[in-house]
Amino acid sequence: MSTIRAFRQTFAAAVAVGVIDWALPLAVAEKTMYAGSWIGYLLLVAFGFLAIREGSRYRYVLRHTWAFVGFWFALGVLSFTLGRTDVPPEDRVLGLQGYLFATVLFLPVAFASSSLGAAIAHFLAKLRHDRPDAA
């Protein structure tokens, strides 16, 4: 599997999870929000792992993590724009500011997830006494 293919597949899976979670009725989506978030972070771990296994560097992994973050942010903003949240209309601006703040707070988690996948790939390469594909 090539590096770009690893990105395309994991990003497509993240899009599928995000769209499914977004398409669920609001009452169900509130209950499954944490599962969707964890699946997204696990997909970032998988992306980091697959990209390093294919010879990419950490720089590539971290640069492409922005695509995941951007997609999730856009999906959240779309939810606020279309009124698909429990935030009352008069507090929508404050809710959107809170969402922006939460996105910034969770940026380290997203980048740590993709870096964790990359670190696992390096660790497994060392266990097998292989030369890591990239640093």
PDB file of all heavy atoms in Angstrom, residues 52-91:
ATOM      1  N   ILE A  52       4.078   5.577   8.034  1.00  0.00           N
ATOM      2  CA  ILE A  52       5.485   5.322   8.394  1.00  0.00           C
ATOM      3  C   ILE A  52       5.933   3.980   7.838  1.00  0.00           C
ATOM      4  O   ILE A  52       7.050   3.840   7.347  1.00  0.00           O
ATOM      5  CB  ILE A  52       5.676   5.385   9.924  1.00  0.00           C
ATOM      6  CG1 ILE A  52       5.453   6.805  10.424  1.00  0.00           C
ATOM      7  CG2 ILE A  52       7.044   4.885  10.335  1.00  0.00           C
ATOM      8  CD1 ILE A  52       6.439   7.831   9.918  1.00  0.00           C
ATOM      9  N   ARG A  53       5.068   2.996   7.859  1.00  0.00           N
ATOM     10  CA  ARG A  53       5.418   1.683   7.307  1.00  0.00           C
ATOM     11  C   ARG A  53       5.729   1.761   5.814  1.00  0.00           C
ATOM     12  O   ARG A  53       6.478   0.960   5.279  1.00  0.00           O
ATOM     13  CB  ARG A  53       4.283   0.682   7.527  1.00  0.00           C
ATOM     14  CG  ARG A  53       4.032   0.318   8.952  1.00  0.00           C
ATOM     15  CD  ARG A  53       5.078  -0.549   9.549  1.00  0.00           C
ATOM     16  NE  ARG A  53       5.142  -1.803   8.800  1.00  0.00           N
ATOM     17  CZ  ARG A  53       6.217  -2.547   8.723  1.00  0.00           C
ATOM     18  NH1 ARG A  53       7.306  -2.204   9.331  1.00  0.00           N
ATOM     19  NH2 ARG A  53       6.201  -3.660   8.040  1.00  0.00           N
ATOM     20  N   GLU A  54       5.146   2.739   5.147  1.00  0.00           N
ATOM     21  CA  GLU A  54       5.353   2.892   3.710  1.00  0.00           C
ATOM     22  C   GLU A  54       6.496   3.837   3.378  1.00  0.00           C
ATOM     23  O   GLU A  54       6.702   4.163   2.223  1.00  0.00           O
ATOM     24  CB  GLU A  54       4.066   3.373   3.037  1.00  0.00           C
ATOM     25  CG  GLU A  54       2.966   2.357   3.085  1.00  0.00           C
ATOM     26  CD  GLU A  54       3.360   1.040   2.461  1.00  0.00           C
ATOM     27  OE1 GLU A  54       4.047   1.027   1.426  1.00  0.00           O
ATOM     28  OE2 GLU A  54       2.992  -0.003   3.020  1.00  0.00           O
ATOM     29  N   GLY A  55       7.218   4.297   4.374  1.00  0.00           N
ATOM     30  CA  GLY A  55       8.408   5.091   4.107  1.00  0.00           C
ATOM     31  C   GLY A  55       8.248   6.589   4.267  1.00  0.00           C
ATOM     32  O   GLY A  55       9.157   7.332   3.921  1.00  0.00           O
ATOM     33  N   SER A  56       7.143   7.045   4.780  1.00  0.00           N
ATOM     34  CA  SER A  56       6.970   8.487   4.989  1.00  0.00           C
ATOM     35  C   SER A  56       7.660   8.914   6.265  1.00  0.00           C
ATOM     36  O   SER A  56       8.032   8.097   7.104  1.00  0.00           O
ATOM     37  CB  SER A  56       5.486   8.833   5.079  1.00  0.00           C
ATOM     38  OG  SER A  56       4.871   8.612   3.854  1.00  0.00           O
ATOM     39  N   ARG A  57       7.806  10.192   6.400  1.00  0.00           N
ATOM     40  CA  ARG A  57       8.401  10.767   7.600  1.00  0.00           C
ATOM     41  C   ARG A  57       7.301  11.316   8.510  1.00  0.00           C
ATOM     42  O   ARG A  57       6.156  11.464   8.106  1.00  0.00           O
ATOM     43  CB  ARG A  57       9.366  11.881   7.216  1.00  0.00           C
ATOM     44  CG  ARG A  57      10.531  11.394   6.414  1.00  0.00           C
ATOM     45  CD  ARG A  57      11.509  12.526   6.193  1.00  0.00           C
ATOM     46  NE  ARG A  57      12.721  12.039   5.573  1.00  0.00           N
ATOM     47  CZ  ARG A  57      13.751  11.516   6.233  1.00  0.00           C
ATOM     48  NH1 ARG A  57      13.706  11.417   7.538  1.00  0.00           N
ATOM     49  NH2 ARG A  57      14.819  11.110   5.603  1.00  0.00           N
ATOM     50  N   TYR A  58       7.679  11.630   9.749  1.00  0.00           N
ATOM     51  CA  TYR A  58       6.734  12.219  10.684  1.00  0.00           C
ATOM     52  C   TYR A  58       6.133  13.499  10.107  1.00  0.00           C
ATOM     53  O   TYR A  58       4.965  13.803  10.326  1.00  0.00           O
ATOM     54  CB  TYR A  58       7.431  12.561  12.012  1.00  0.00           C
ATOM     55  CG  TYR A  58       7.542  11.402  12.958  1.00  0.00           C
ATOM     56  CD1 TYR A  58       8.712  10.673  13.056  1.00  0.00           C
ATOM     57  CD2 TYR A  58       6.470  11.044  13.766  1.00  0.00           C
ATOM     58  CE1 TYR A  58       8.820   9.614  13.925  1.00  0.00           C
ATOM     59  CE2 TYR A  58       6.566   9.982  14.643  1.00  0.00           C
ATOM     60  CZ  TYR A  58       7.743   9.281  14.722  1.00  0.00           C
ATOM     61  OH  TYR A  58       7.834   8.231  15.585  1.00  0.00           O
ATOM     62  N   ARG A  59       6.953  14.258   9.392  1.00  0.00           N
ATOM     63  CA  ARG A  59       6.480  15.506   8.794  1.00  0.00           C
ATOM     64  C   ARG A  59       5.265  15.262   7.903  1.00  0.00           C
ATOM     65  O   ARG A  59       4.305  16.023   7.929  1.00  0.00           O
ATOM     66  CB  ARG A  59       7.619  16.100   7.953  1.00  0.00           C
ATOM     67  CG  ARG A  59       7.752  17.553   8.036  1.00  0.00           C
ATOM     68  CD  ARG A  59       8.977  18.028   7.294  1.00  0.00           C
ATOM     69  NE  ARG A  59      10.013  16.996   7.242  1.00  0.00           N
ATOM     70  CZ  ARG A  59      11.027  16.995   6.417  1.00  0.00           C
ATOM     71  NH1 ARG A  59      11.164  17.956   5.557  1.00  0.00           N
ATOM     72  NH2 ARG A  59      11.930  16.037   6.438  1.00  0.00           N
ATOM     73  N   TYR A  60       5.319  14.218   7.100  1.00  0.00           N
ATOM     74  CA  TYR A  60       4.209  13.871   6.209  1.00  0.00           C
ATOM     75  C   TYR A  60       2.964  13.533   7.031  1.00  0.00           C
ATOM     76  O   TYR A  60       1.862  13.982   6.724  1.00  0.00           O
ATOM     77  CB  TYR A  60       4.605  12.684   5.330  1.00  0.00           C
ATOM     78  CG  TYR A  60       3.489  12.198   4.437  1.00  0.00           C
ATOM     79  CD1 TYR A  60       3.266  12.774   3.196  1.00  0.00           C
ATOM     80  CD2 TYR A  60       2.645  11.164   4.840  1.00  0.00           C
ATOM     81  CE1 TYR A  60       2.237  12.345   2.380  1.00  0.00           C
ATOM     82  CE2 TYR A  60       1.616  10.728   4.037  1.00  0.00           C
ATOM     83  CZ  TYR A  60       1.423  11.317   2.800  1.00  0.00           C
ATOM     84  OH  TYR A  60       0.395  10.891   2.007  1.00  0.00           O
ATOM     85  N   VAL A  61       3.166  12.736   8.061  1.00  0.00           N
ATOM     86  CA  VAL A  61       2.041  12.311   8.901  1.00  0.00           C
ATOM     87  C   VAL A  61       1.391  13.516   9.562  1.00  0.00           C
ATOM     88  O   VAL A  61       0.166  13.677   9.532  1.00  0.00           O
ATOM     89  CB  VAL A  61       2.509  11.282   9.953  1.00  0.00           C
ATOM     90  CG1 VAL A  61       1.414  10.983  10.958  1.00  0.00           C
ATOM     91  CG2 VAL A  61       2.982  10.006   9.281  1.00  0.00           C
ATOM     92  N   LEU A  62       2.200  14.390  10.145  1.00  0.00           N
ATOM     93  CA  LEU A  62       1.646  15.543  10.841  1.00  0.00           C
ATOM     94  C   LEU A  62       1.010  16.542   9.877  1.00  0.00           C
ATOM     95  O   LEU A  62      -0.007  17.150  10.198  1.00  0.00           O
ATOM     96  CB  LEU A  62       2.732  16.215  11.680  1.00  0.00           C
ATOM     97  CG  LEU A  62       3.280  15.343  12.814  1.00  0.00           C
ATOM     98  CD1 LEU A  62       4.390  16.066  13.545  1.00  0.00           C
ATOM     99  CD2 LEU A  62       2.192  14.931  13.776  1.00  0.00           C
ATOM    100  N   ARG A  63       1.589  16.698   8.702  1.00  0.00           N
ATOM    101  CA  ARG A  63       1.012  17.615   7.711  1.00  0.00           C
ATOM    102  C   ARG A  63      -0.362  17.116   7.250  1.00  0.00           C
ATOM    103  O   ARG A  63      -1.292  17.896   7.089  1.00  0.00           O
ATOM    104  CB  ARG A  63       1.962  17.763   6.530  1.00  0.00           C
ATOM    105  CG  ARG A  63       1.491  18.782   5.520  1.00  0.00           C
ATOM    106  CD  ARG A  63       2.489  19.008   4.402  1.00  0.00           C
ATOM    107  NE  ARG A  63       2.867  17.741   3.786  1.00  0.00           N
ATOM    108  CZ  ARG A  63       4.123  17.377   3.554  1.00  0.00           C
ATOM    109  NH1 ARG A  63       5.115  18.154   3.894  1.00  0.00           N
ATOM    110  NH2 ARG A  63       4.383  16.222   2.980  1.00  0.00           N
ATOM    111  N   HIS A  64      -0.496  15.823   7.059  1.00  0.00           N
ATOM    112  CA  HIS A  64      -1.774  15.283   6.584  1.00  0.00           C
ATOM    113  C   HIS A  64      -2.805  15.113   7.699  1.00  0.00           C
ATOM    114  O   HIS A  64      -3.978  14.892   7.421  1.00  0.00           O
ATOM    115  CB  HIS A  64      -1.542  13.960   5.848  1.00  0.00           C
ATOM    116  CG  HIS A  64      -1.021  14.178   4.465  1.00  0.00           C
ATOM    117  ND1 HIS A  64       0.265  14.589   4.226  1.00  0.00           N
ATOM    118  CD2 HIS A  64      -1.612  14.078   3.261  1.00  0.00           C
ATOM    119  CE1 HIS A  64       0.446  14.715   2.930  1.00  0.00           C
ATOM    120  NE2 HIS A  64      -0.686  14.417   2.320  1.00  0.00           N
ATOM    121  N   THR A  65      -2.379  15.220   8.936  1.00  0.00           N
ATOM    122  CA  THR A  65      -3.318  15.196  10.054  1.00  0.00           C
ATOM    123  C   THR A  65      -4.239  16.412   9.984  1.00  0.00           C
ATOM    124  O   THR A  65      -5.397  16.346  10.405  1.00  0.00           O
ATOM    125  CB  THR A  65      -2.561  15.155  11.392  1.00  0.00           C
ATOM    126  OG1 THR A  65      -1.767  13.958  11.417  1.00  0.00           O
ATOM    127  CG2 THR A  65      -3.496  15.140  12.584  1.00  0.00           C
ATOM    128  N   TRP A  66      -3.739  17.504   9.409  1.00  0.00           N
ATOM    129  CA  TRP A  66      -4.562  18.704   9.278  1.00  0.00           C
ATOM    130  C   TRP A  66      -5.811  18.446   8.435  1.00  0.00           C
ATOM    131  O   TRP A  66      -6.838  19.090   8.646  1.00  0.00           O
ATOM    132  CB  TRP A  66      -3.765  19.858   8.674  1.00  0.00           C
ATOM    133  CG  TRP A  66      -2.885  20.523   9.673  1.00  0.00           C
ATOM    134  CD1 TRP A  66      -1.527  20.443   9.746  1.00  0.00           C
ATOM    135  CD2 TRP A  66      -3.289  21.374  10.756  1.00  0.00           C
ATOM    136  NE1 TRP A  66      -1.075  21.182  10.799  1.00  0.00           N
ATOM    137  CE2 TRP A  66      -2.128  21.761  11.433  1.00  0.00           C
ATOM    138  CE3 TRP A  66      -4.519  21.826  11.202  1.00  0.00           C
ATOM    139  CZ2 TRP A  66      -2.168  22.600  12.548  1.00  0.00           C
ATOM    140  CZ3 TRP A  66      -4.552  22.656  12.312  1.00  0.00           C
ATOM    141  CH2 TRP A  66      -3.388  23.036  12.971  1.00  0.00           C
ATOM    142  N   ALA A  67      -5.739  17.536   7.486  1.00  0.00           N
ATOM    143  CA  ALA A  67      -6.918  17.234   6.670  1.00  0.00           C
ATOM    144  C   ALA A  67      -8.029  16.640   7.532  1.00  0.00           C
ATOM    145  O   ALA A  67      -9.209  16.999   7.381  1.00  0.00           O
ATOM    146  CB  ALA A  67      -6.550  16.268   5.544  1.00  0.00           C
ATOM    147  N   PHE A  68      -7.669  15.754   8.442  1.00  0.00           N
ATOM    148  CA  PHE A  68      -8.644  15.162   9.348  1.00  0.00           C
ATOM    149  C   PHE A  68      -9.248  16.241  10.250  1.00  0.00           C
ATOM    150  O   PHE A  68     -10.465  16.321  10.411  1.00  0.00           O
ATOM    151  CB  PHE A  68      -7.996  14.082  10.214  1.00  0.00           C
ATOM    152  CG  PHE A  68      -7.597  12.844   9.470  1.00  0.00           C
ATOM    153  CD1 PHE A  68      -6.357  12.752   8.857  1.00  0.00           C
ATOM    154  CD2 PHE A  68      -8.450  11.760   9.385  1.00  0.00           C
ATOM    155  CE1 PHE A  68      -5.979  11.609   8.177  1.00  0.00           C
ATOM    156  CE2 PHE A  68      -8.089  10.611   8.713  1.00  0.00           C
ATOM    157  CZ  PHE A  68      -6.857  10.535   8.105  1.00  0.00           C
ATOM    158  N   VAL A  69      -8.373  17.062  10.830  1.00  0.00           N
ATOM    159  CA  VAL A  69      -8.833  18.123  11.735  1.00  0.00           C
ATOM    160  C   VAL A  69      -9.744  19.097  10.993  1.00  0.00           C
ATOM    161  O   VAL A  69     -10.795  19.486  11.499  1.00  0.00           O
ATOM    162  CB  VAL A  69      -7.616  18.856  12.358  1.00  0.00           C
ATOM    163  CG1 VAL A  69      -8.052  20.099  13.109  1.00  0.00           C
ATOM    164  CG2 VAL A  69      -6.838  17.924  13.267  1.00  0.00           C
ATOM    165  N   GLY A  70      -9.348  19.467   9.794  1.00  0.00           N
ATOM    166  CA  GLY A  70     -10.163  20.393   9.001  1.00  0.00           C
ATOM    167  C   GLY A  70     -11.521  19.819   8.667  1.00  0.00           C
ATOM    168  O   GLY A  70     -12.541  20.524   8.722  1.00  0.00           O
ATOM    169  N   PHE A  71     -11.558  18.550   8.316  1.00  0.00           N
ATOM    170  CA  PHE A  71     -12.847  17.914   8.004  1.00  0.00           C
ATOM    171  C   PHE A  71     -13.750  17.908   9.227  1.00  0.00           C
ATOM    172  O   PHE A  71     -14.935  18.254   9.144  1.00  0.00           O
ATOM    173  CB  PHE A  71     -12.643  16.493   7.480  1.00  0.00           C
ATOM    174  CG  PHE A  71     -13.925  15.727   7.374  1.00  0.00           C
ATOM    175  CD1 PHE A  71     -14.853  16.036   6.394  1.00  0.00           C
ATOM    176  CD2 PHE A  71     -14.232  14.721   8.279  1.00  0.00           C
ATOM    177  CE1 PHE A  71     -16.057  15.361   6.306  1.00  0.00           C
ATOM    178  CE2 PHE A  71     -15.418  14.035   8.200  1.00  0.00           C
ATOM    179  CZ  PHE A  71     -16.339  14.352   7.212  1.00  0.00           C
ATOM    180  N   TRP A  72     -13.212  17.485  10.373  1.00  0.00           N
ATOM    181  CA  TRP A  72     -14.029  17.431  11.585  1.00  0.00           C
ATOM    182  C   TRP A  72     -14.497  18.820  11.997  1.00  0.00           C
ATOM    183  O   TRP A  72     -15.630  18.993  12.449  1.00  0.00           O
ATOM    184  CB  TRP A  72     -13.274  16.757  12.717  1.00  0.00           C
ATOM    185  CG  TRP A  72     -13.040  15.306  12.484  1.00  0.00           C
ATOM    186  CD1 TRP A  72     -13.870  14.439  11.838  1.00  0.00           C
ATOM    187  CD2 TRP A  72     -11.904  14.546  12.873  1.00  0.00           C
ATOM    188  NE1 TRP A  72     -13.308  13.184  11.810  1.00  0.00           N
ATOM    189  CE2 TRP A  72     -12.108  13.216  12.437  1.00  0.00           C
ATOM    190  CE3 TRP A  72     -10.731  14.837  13.545  1.00  0.00           C
ATOM    191  CZ2 TRP A  72     -11.180  12.207  12.661  1.00  0.00           C
ATOM    192  CZ3 TRP A  72      -9.810  13.835  13.774  1.00  0.00           C
ATOM    193  CH2 TRP A  72     -10.043  12.527  13.330  1.00  0.00           C
ATOM    194  N   PHE A  73     -13.634  19.822  11.839  1.00  0.00           N
ATOM    195  CA  PHE A  73     -14.031  21.183  12.174  1.00  0.00           C
ATOM    196  C   PHE A  73     -15.144  21.657  11.240  1.00  0.00           C
ATOM    197  O   PHE A  73     -16.125  22.248  11.681  1.00  0.00           O
ATOM    198  CB  PHE A  73     -12.821  22.120  12.104  1.00  0.00           C
ATOM    199  CG  PHE A  73     -13.167  23.536  12.444  1.00  0.00           C
ATOM    200  CD1 PHE A  73     -13.429  23.896  13.756  1.00  0.00           C
ATOM    201  CD2 PHE A  73     -13.238  24.508  11.471  1.00  0.00           C
ATOM    202  CE1 PHE A  73     -13.767  25.199  14.083  1.00  0.00           C
ATOM    203  CE2 PHE A  73     -13.570  25.814  11.780  1.00  0.00           C
ATOM    204  CZ  PHE A  73     -13.835  26.159  13.094  1.00  0.00           C
ATOM    205  N   ALA A  74     -14.991  21.413   9.950  1.00  0.00           N
ATOM    206  CA  ALA A  74     -16.013  21.830   8.975  1.00  0.00           C
ATOM    207  C   ALA A  74     -17.349  21.146   9.256  1.00  0.00           C
ATOM    208  O   ALA A  74     -18.413  21.770   9.136  1.00  0.00           O
ATOM    209  CB  ALA A  74     -15.543  21.525   7.556  1.00  0.00           C
ATOM    210  N   LEU A  75     -17.302  19.880   9.628  1.00  0.00           N
ATOM    211  CA  LEU A  75     -18.534  19.160   9.950  1.00  0.00           C
ATOM    212  C   LEU A  75     -19.224  19.768  11.172  1.00  0.00           C
ATOM    213  O   LEU A  75     -20.450  19.910  11.202  1.00  0.00           O
ATOM    214  CB  LEU A  75     -18.217  17.682  10.183  1.00  0.00           C
ATOM    215  CG  LEU A  75     -19.339  16.683  10.025  1.00  0.00           C
ATOM    216  CD1 LEU A  75     -19.943  16.765   8.628  1.00  0.00           C
ATOM    217  CD2 LEU A  75     -18.812  15.282  10.284  1.00  0.00           C
ATOM    218  N   GLY A  76     -18.437  20.155  12.163  1.00  0.00           N
ATOM    219  CA  GLY A  76     -19.006  20.799  13.347  1.00  0.00           C
ATOM    220  C   GLY A  76     -19.590  22.162  13.046  1.00  0.00           C
ATOM    221  O   GLY A  76     -20.674  22.508  13.533  1.00  0.00           O
ATOM    222  N   VAL A  77     -18.891  22.944  12.240  1.00  0.00           N
ATOM    223  CA  VAL A  77     -19.410  24.259  11.862  1.00  0.00           C
ATOM    224  C   VAL A  77     -20.689  24.105  11.047  1.00  0.00           C
ATOM    225  O   VAL A  77     -21.648  24.870  11.222  1.00  0.00           O
ATOM    226  CB  VAL A  77     -18.334  25.063  11.087  1.00  0.00           C
ATOM    227  CG1 VAL A  77     -18.929  26.314  10.466  1.00  0.00           C
ATOM    228  CG2 VAL A  77     -17.181  25.418  12.012  1.00  0.00           C
ATOM    229  N   LEU A  78     -20.720  23.108  10.183  1.00  0.00           N
ATOM    230  CA  LEU A  78     -21.937  22.842   9.414  1.00  0.00           C
ATOM    231  C   LEU A  78     -23.094  22.484  10.334  1.00  0.00           C
ATOM    232  O   LEU A  78     -24.234  22.916  10.115  1.00  0.00           O
ATOM    233  CB  LEU A  78     -21.685  21.722   8.405  1.00  0.00           C
ATOM    234  CG  LEU A  78     -22.813  21.395   7.451  1.00  0.00           C
ATOM    235  CD1 LEU A  78     -23.090  22.589   6.534  1.00  0.00           C
ATOM    236  CD2 LEU A  78     -22.461  20.172   6.621  1.00  0.00           C
ATOM    237  N   SER A  79     -22.819  21.732  11.375  1.00  0.00           N
ATOM    238  CA  SER A  79     -23.866  21.391  12.345  1.00  0.00           C
ATOM    239  C   SER A  79     -24.411  22.645  13.022  1.00  0.00           C
ATOM    240  O   SER A  79     -25.622  22.782  13.205  1.00  0.00           O
ATOM    241  CB  SER A  79     -23.317  20.435  13.407  1.00  0.00           C
ATOM    242  OG  SER A  79     -23.043  19.186  12.849  1.00  0.00           O
ATOM    243  N   PHE A  80     -23.511  23.558  13.398  1.00  0.00           N
ATOM    244  CA  PHE A  80     -23.968  24.808  14.016  1.00  0.00           C
ATOM    245  C   PHE A  80     -24.734  25.663  13.013  1.00  0.00           C
ATOM    246  O   PHE A  80     -25.747  26.271  13.350  1.00  0.00           O
ATOM    247  CB  PHE A  80     -22.780  25.606  14.571  1.00  0.00           C
ATOM    248  CG  PHE A  80     -22.406  25.206  15.953  1.00  0.00           C
ATOM    249  CD1 PHE A  80     -21.352  24.356  16.186  1.00  0.00           C
ATOM    250  CD2 PHE A  80     -23.128  25.680  17.041  1.00  0.00           C
ATOM    251  CE1 PHE A  80     -20.999  23.978  17.460  1.00  0.00           C
ATOM    252  CE2 PHE A  80     -22.787  25.314  18.331  1.00  0.00           C
ATOM    253  CZ  PHE A  80     -21.733  24.458  18.550  1.00  0.00           C
ATOM    254  N   THR A  81     -24.263  25.721  11.790  1.00  0.00           N
ATOM    255  CA  THR A  81     -24.907  26.545  10.774  1.00  0.00           C
ATOM    256  C   THR A  81     -26.321  26.066  10.462  1.00  0.00           C
ATOM    257  O   THR A  81     -27.238  26.872  10.296  1.00  0.00           O
ATOM    258  CB  THR A  81     -24.061  26.547   9.479  1.00  0.00           C
ATOM    259  OG1 THR A  81     -22.742  26.986   9.792  1.00  0.00           O
ATOM    260  CG2 THR A  81     -24.664  27.453   8.435  1.00  0.00           C
ATOM    261  N   LEU A  82     -26.482  24.757  10.389  1.00  0.00           N
ATOM    262  CA  LEU A  82     -27.794  24.202  10.058  1.00  0.00           C
ATOM    263  C   LEU A  82     -28.688  24.022  11.280  1.00  0.00           C
ATOM    264  O   LEU A  82     -29.795  23.497  11.164  1.00  0.00           O
ATOM    265  CB  LEU A  82     -27.623  22.862   9.335  1.00  0.00           C
ATOM    266  CG  LEU A  82     -26.904  22.939   7.985  1.00  0.00           C
ATOM    267  CD1 LEU A  82     -26.757  21.560   7.385  1.00  0.00           C
ATOM    268  CD2 LEU A  82     -27.654  23.855   7.034  1.00  0.00           C
ATOM    269  N   GLY A  83     -28.206  24.414  12.455  1.00  0.00           N
ATOM    270  CA  GLY A  83     -29.020  24.307  13.658  1.00  0.00           C
ATOM    271  C   GLY A  83     -29.197  22.881  14.135  1.00  0.00           C
ATOM    272  O   GLY A  83     -30.204  22.537  14.731  1.00  0.00           O
ATOM    273  N   ARG A  84     -28.224  22.050  13.875  1.00  0.00           N
ATOM    274  CA  ARG A  84     -28.300  20.639  14.240  1.00  0.00           C
ATOM    275  C   ARG A  84     -27.651  20.385  15.600  1.00  0.00           C
ATOM    276  O   ARG A  84     -27.021  19.374  15.817  1.00  0.00           O
ATOM    277  CB  ARG A  84     -27.595  19.830  13.152  1.00  0.00           C
ATOM    278  CG  ARG A  84     -27.978  18.396  13.143  1.00  0.00           C
ATOM    279  CD  ARG A  84     -27.388  17.708  11.958  1.00  0.00           C
ATOM    280  NE  ARG A  84     -26.847  16.410  12.242  1.00  0.00           N
ATOM    281  CZ  ARG A  84     -27.456  15.438  12.879  1.00  0.00           C
ATOM    282  NH1 ARG A  84     -28.650  15.625  13.354  1.00  0.00           N
ATOM    283  NH2 ARG A  84     -26.876  14.273  13.064  1.00  0.00           N
ATOM    284  N   THR A  85     -27.788  21.320  16.512  1.00  0.00           N
ATOM    285  CA  THR A  85     -27.218  21.189  17.851  1.00  0.00           C
ATOM    286  C   THR A  85     -28.305  21.515  18.872  1.00  0.00           C
ATOM    287  O   THR A  85     -29.382  22.000  18.527  1.00  0.00           O
ATOM    288  CB  THR A  85     -26.034  22.153  18.044  1.00  0.00           C
ATOM    289  OG1 THR A  85     -26.502  23.488  17.864  1.00  0.00           O
ATOM    290  CG2 THR A  85     -24.917  21.871  17.062  1.00  0.00           C
ATOM    291  N   ASP A  86     -28.011  21.270  20.130  1.00  0.00           N
ATOM    292  CA  ASP A  86     -28.957  21.604  21.198  1.00  0.00           C
ATOM    293  C   ASP A  86     -28.788  23.044  21.677  1.00  0.00           C
ATOM    294  O   ASP A  86     -29.404  23.444  22.651  1.00  0.00           O
ATOM    295  CB  ASP A  86     -28.763  20.661  22.389  1.00  0.00           C
ATOM    296  CG  ASP A  86     -29.476  19.339  22.184  1.00  0.00           C
ATOM    297  OD1 ASP A  86     -30.365  19.286  21.320  1.00  0.00           O
ATOM    298  OD2 ASP A  86     -29.152  18.377  22.899  1.00  0.00           O
ATOM    299  N   VAL A  87     -27.949  23.797  21.013  1.00  0.00           N
ATOM    300  CA  VAL A  87     -27.705  25.182  21.407  1.00  0.00           C
ATOM    301  C   VAL A  87     -28.875  26.039  20.936  1.00  0.00           C
ATOM    302  O   VAL A  87     -29.245  25.993  19.760  1.00  0.00           O
ATOM    303  CB  VAL A  87     -26.373  25.690  20.790  1.00  0.00           C
ATOM    304  CG1 VAL A  87     -26.129  27.128  21.156  1.00  0.00           C
ATOM    305  CG2 VAL A  87     -25.222  24.813  21.230  1.00  0.00           C
ATOM    306  N   PRO A  88     -29.477  26.806  21.836  1.00  0.00           N
ATOM    307  CA  PRO A  88     -30.578  27.683  21.416  1.00  0.00           C
ATOM    308  C   PRO A  88     -30.094  28.722  20.396  1.00  0.00           C
ATOM    309  O   PRO A  88     -28.928  29.109  20.414  1.00  0.00           O
ATOM    310  CB  PRO A  88     -31.016  28.379  22.716  1.00  0.00           C
ATOM    311  CG  PRO A  88     -30.349  27.661  23.821  1.00  0.00           C
ATOM    312  CD  PRO A  88     -29.217  26.882  23.259  1.00  0.00           C
ATOM    313  N   PRO A  89     -30.969  29.170  19.510  1.00  0.00           N
ATOM    314  CA  PRO A  89     -30.550  30.116  18.459  1.00  0.00           C
ATOM    315  C   PRO A  89     -29.893  31.386  19.000  1.00  0.00           C
ATOM    316  O   PRO A  89     -28.969  31.907  18.390  1.00  0.00           O
ATOM    317  CB  PRO A  89     -31.851  30.450  17.730  1.00  0.00           C
ATOM    318  CG  PRO A  89     -32.762  29.310  18.018  1.00  0.00           C
ATOM    319  CD  PRO A  89     -32.370  28.788  19.362  1.00  0.00           C
ATOM    320  N   GLU A  90     -30.337  31.874  20.145  1.00  0.00           N
ATOM    321  CA  GLU A  90     -29.752  33.109  20.682  1.00  0.00           C
ATOM    322  C   GLU A  90     -28.330  32.891  21.220  1.00  0.00           C
ATOM    323  O   GLU A  90     -27.572  33.837  21.375  1.00  0.00           O
ATOM    324  CB  GLU A  90     -30.646  33.734  21.765  1.00  0.00           C
ATOM    325  CG  GLU A  90     -30.887  32.867  22.973  1.00  0.00           C
ATOM    326  CD  GLU A  90     -32.071  31.928  22.830  1.00  0.00           C
ATOM    327  OE1 GLU A  90     -32.697  31.881  21.751  1.00  0.00           O
ATOM    328  OE2 GLU A  90     -32.362  31.232  23.791  1.00  0.00           O
ATOM    329  N   ASP A  91     -27.972  31.654  21.512  1.00  0.00           N
ATOM    330  CA  ASP A  91     -26.624  31.343  22.012  1.00  0.00           C
ATOM    331  C   ASP A  91     -25.751  30.666  20.970  1.00  0.00           C
ATOM    332  O   ASP A  91     -24.697  30.124  21.289  1.00  0.00           O
ATOM    333  CB  ASP A  91     -26.721  30.437  23.240  1.00  0.00           C
ATOM    334  CG  ASP A  91     -27.347  31.130  24.424  1.00  0.00           C
ATOM    335  OD1 ASP A  91     -27.262  32.372  24.490  1.00  0.00           O
ATOM    336  OD2 ASP A  91     -27.919  30.433  25.286  1.00  0.00           O
TER     337      ASP A  91
END
